[in-house]
Amino acid sequence: MKPDIEESENLIETEKKDPIAFFDSIYELYEKAEASVGGAVNRFYDIGGFKIQLRFAGEALISYQTPALGHLEIEPVSHPDLTVCLWDSTSTKTIMPPPPWGRNHHHPKRGEIHGFNTDRIHTSFQWGAFALSLLDSDRNLGIYWVDTTAQIPYWETGSPLRTILNVWMSKRGIQLVHAGAVGLSSGGVLLVGKGGSGKSTTALSCINSELFYASDDYSLITCEPTPTVFSIYNTGKKNADDVNRLPFLAEAISNSDRLDSEKAVYFINEHFPEKILKSCPIRAVLVPRITGKTDTSLTATSAAAALASLVPSTMIQLAGAGKEACQIMMQVLKQVPCYYLELGTDLEQIPQVISNLITKQ
């Protein structure tokens, strides 16, 4: 998708910024792409209690989009709640035309395209992944396109289809948030905070304990009927210069040959499937803070302080997150106790402190 600004501006005027017409035109291209490779390859997942179908035009994108969702894969269903069509131009030899917008029509961080978003249609383009994401909420139909798999960055493989899933789930009272989660089936904790706060270390350290792992970076939450967290990606990520602190995960690093330029990425389900927590009630919200001390402890804090650690990063990172997202986050955090998790250097203490908290709730 290589934009020519002058041509794009003319197309915008010609199409009168009709988001439905644009969606339909891309869906027609998907169908051509699917036909060109001999049909679709389907995968099915149970995400947040909904049945999701991923319909691939050929096999090129499968290894990039499915490992992070592997723990949620299910047998085929005849009537999925949402279908997402995925294709790339290179393997299908189906060319994407220049977009009907210019660079100045993108949201600078989240990727929404001004003039091509309505209550029904969501349109966004992520420059980092060079990926187009579309959703028609009325038809429960999504489209994901990239020019070539060679341009997909490692972080996209670790948390695929964030935009489409976030927008679709939010219309059903479930919010994708920038937060980790660990615990037991009877109850767990939501880990909130900006990058570098210790979320990943906290979540990943729990794999080597009696606790179970839902996420270290993105989770789905709802407040109805009670605060609940759902795992969406079984991925873990860690700064390359910090992986030695978790030696039991060394063999699970999927990109060990690229740590000079990428974070270490773990697909937990491939190595520790027995440690995956798919959902649980939220018993508390923890805001990790690195102290430099030996011991780990808890300090009570307010819902407002926890919100301040959760809302900004969620809103900045996730296209489609708006007023409804804030309301869901606020309602969840108002119903459960919130604490600072004062992280010590003795990593074995971290899961023990969390376990003591949730078993006493």
Side-chain angles (χ1 to χ4, degrees):
M1 202 171 213
K2 301 171 183 177
D4 179 296
I5 301 300
E6 184 176 351
E7 183 178 3
S8 297
E9 295 294 347
N10 291 336
L11 281 168
I12 290 174
E13 183 63 28
T14 300
E15 297 191 5
K16 296 182 180 179
K17 298 183 181 179
D18 186 338
I20 296 177
F22 179 68
F23 183 99
D24 288 343
S25 69
I26 303 305
Y27 184 63
E28 288 179 10
L29 285 174
Y30 168 79
E31 290 185 313
K32 290 179 180 178
E34 183 182 291
S36 75
V37 293
V41 180
N42 294 296
R43 297 287 188 272
F44 295 84
Y45 302 88
D46 185 334
I47 303 176
F50 293 95
K51 305 303 186 288
I52 311 295
Q53 175 186 12
L54 301 189
R55 178 180 161 193
F56 293 90
E59 298 185 353
L61 283 172
I62 292 176
S63 63
Y64 293 88
Q65 299 292 306
T66 61
L69 299 167
H71 62 308
L72 302 176
E73 188 167 6
I74 58 174
E75 293 297 315
V77 296
S78 56
H79 300 289
D81 299 301
L82 170 68
T83 295
V84 182
C85 302
L86 303 94
W87 63 291
D88 71 290
S89 288
T90 300
S91 73
T92 64
K93 297 180 172 58
T94 307
I95 304 302
M96 177 75 76
W101 58 75
R103 268 184 183 265
N104 60 333
H105 290 86
H106 292 138
H107 185 286
K109 293 185 180 294
R110 305 198 315 181
E112 290 104 331
I113 308 300
H114 302 304
F116 286 81
N117 283 275
T118 66
D119 288 341
R120 172 179 173 178
I121 301 293
H122 182 88
T123 309
S124 63
F125 185 77
Q126 282 72 46
W127 282 101
F130 213 73
L132 177 68
S133 296
L134 297 164
L135 176 67
D136 183 336
S137 295
D138 282 7
R139 285 185 278 183
N140 294 311
L141 181 64
I143 305 172
Y144 177 87
W145 168 87
V146 293
D147 184 40
T148 172
T149 58
Q151 290 179 302
I152 299 176
Y154 74 94
W155 64 81
E156 186 77 0
T157 300
S159 48
L161 303 174
R162 290 188 311 280
T163 296
I164 293 171
L165 293 173
N166 174 52
V167 175
W168 190 83
M169 288 285 180
S170 67
K171 294 179 180 295
R172 287 151 183 82
I174 299 177
Q175 181 59 45
L176 183 62
V177 292
H178 181 225
V182 296
L184 304 170
S185 59
S186 57
V189 298
L190 196 67
L191 304 167
V192 306
K194 62 183 181 180
S197 64
K199 290 197 315 299
S200 293
T201 297
T202 298
L204 291 168
S205 69
C206 291
I207 296 172
N208 197 32
S209 76
E210 63 180 9
L211 298 180
F212 295 84
Y213 178 92
S215 170
D216 82 332
D217 209 17
Y218 294 103
S219 301
L220 292 167
I221 62 171
T222 185
C223 54
E224 299 293 342
T226 59
T228 302
V229 61
F230 299 93
S231 174
I232 181 168
Y233 306 122
N234 68 74
T235 325
K237 294 193 288 292
K238 199 87 173 68
N239 287 331
D241 60 0
D242 200 34
V243 295
N244 291 336
R245 298 184 70 204
L246 300 170
F248 66 93
L249 289 175
E251 294 184 1
I253 299 174
S254 65
N255 57 338
S256 57
D257 58 332
R258 301 190 301 277
L259 296 185
D260 58 332
S261 58
E262 300 177 359
K263 285 187 175 183
V265 178
Y266 312 91
F267 293 106
I268 303 304
N269 189 59
E270 294 181 4
H271 298 272
F272 304 94
E274 75 284 357
K275 298 299 295 185
I276 295 292
L277 180 65
K278 294 182 180 180
S279 68
C280 69
I282 300 172
R283 300 302 186 201
V285 174
L286 306 184
V287 184
R289 296 196 299 193
I290 298 172
T291 67
K293 299 177 181 178
T294 302
D295 297 331
T296 293
S297 61
L298 295 169
T299 303
T301 189
S302 65
L307 274 171
S309 296
L310 175 62
V311 171
S313 59
T314 295
M315 301 297 286
I316 290 171
Q317 293 188 31
L318 297 174
K323 179 181 177 181
E324 294 79 6
C326 289
Q327 290 176 339
I328 292 173
M329 288 185 277
M330 289 176 62
Q331 290 173 20
V332 168
L333 268 63
K334 285 181 178 179
Q335 295 183 57
V336 297
C338 301
Y339 301 89
Y340 287 114
L341 179 63
E342 313 285 6
L343 295 174
T345 57
D346 180 0
L347 298 189
E348 292 185 359
Q349 288 190 30
I350 296 174
Q352 189 59 57
V353 168
I354 296 173
S355 179
N356 290 343
L357 173 66
I358 60 179
T359 54
K360 292 177 182 177
Q361 291 290 321

